[in-house]
Amino acid sequence: LLLSNQLLVIEPTPVIDPTPVDGKWSEWSSYGECSAECGWGIKLRERLCNSPASANGGEECDGFSTDQQKCRAPRCPNDGNWSVWNGWGKCSKGECIKKRVRRCNDPKPNINLGGLDCEGEGEELAECTLEECP
């Protein structure tokens, strides 16, 4: 710029090169809810690269921002199922009847968690043939 026949020189302000700041992880959050309503699942926690965040060309945080852990939610309700029938027993004297049984244990129902008992009978009776009667 020229002012009154004088030359005014404006020099640029020197740029200060900012110091690089490497990122550091925040503390881990608490684990969240288990992903399963019953049985095995996963719960997650996270952390942020903001303590401090990287700046001015500094390094990003090393590692993962999330972590997972196995979790087990309360036991699932399961309905009962019958086992296979046992073999027929010997015929009874007098009535000439034989019997076989099965159990509600394959699996056993957990009724206190909402599982249902087996449907049907656990015992079956049949008439014996004349040859089977004692």
Side-chain angles (χ1 to χ4, degrees):
L1 290 172
L2 288 175
L3 296 174
S4 306
N5 293 333
Q6 295 178 352
L7 183 61
L8 177 65
V9 178
I10 300 176
E11 294 192 21
T13 307
V15 176
I16 299 172
D17 189 21
T19 305
V21 177
D22 293 341
K24 301 267 187 233
W25 289 112
S26 66
E27 294 294 318
W28 285 105
S29 68
S30 299
Y31 281 103
E33 296 286 320
C34 191
S35 63
E37 291 184 22
C38 65
W40 289 101
I42 294 173
K43 57 184 178 179
L44 300 173
R45 66 178 180 169
E46 62 184 7
R47 60 184 177 173
L48 302 173
C49 185
N50 66 356
S51 293
S54 64
N56 307 323
E59 297 290 322
E60 291 292 325
C61 294
D62 188 32
F64 297 102
S65 62
T66 58
D67 179 46
Q68 64 184 24
Q69 186 178 66
K70 281 175 63 173
C71 56
R72 186 165 185 169
R75 288 184 49 204
C76 303
N78 59 280
D79 297 340
N81 195 39
W82 291 109
S83 65
V84 296
W85 285 103
N86 289 343
W88 288 103
K90 293 186 177 187
C91 292
S92 62
K93 289 184 179 181
E95 296 177 359
C96 202
I97 292 177
K98 59 186 175 183
K99 168 174 96 169
R100 67 179 183 169
V101 295
R102 62 183 177 172
R103 307 236 181 273
C104 185
N105 64 358
D106 191 25
K108 186 175 181 180
N110 53 4
I111 296 170
N112 58 333
L113 294 175
L116 301 175
D117 210 351
C118 293
E119 290 184 21
E121 299 299 320
E123 182 176 289
E124 189 174 54
L125 301 175
E127 289 185 21
C128 299
T129 64
L130 288 176
E131 295 83 30
E132 295 173 309
C133 288

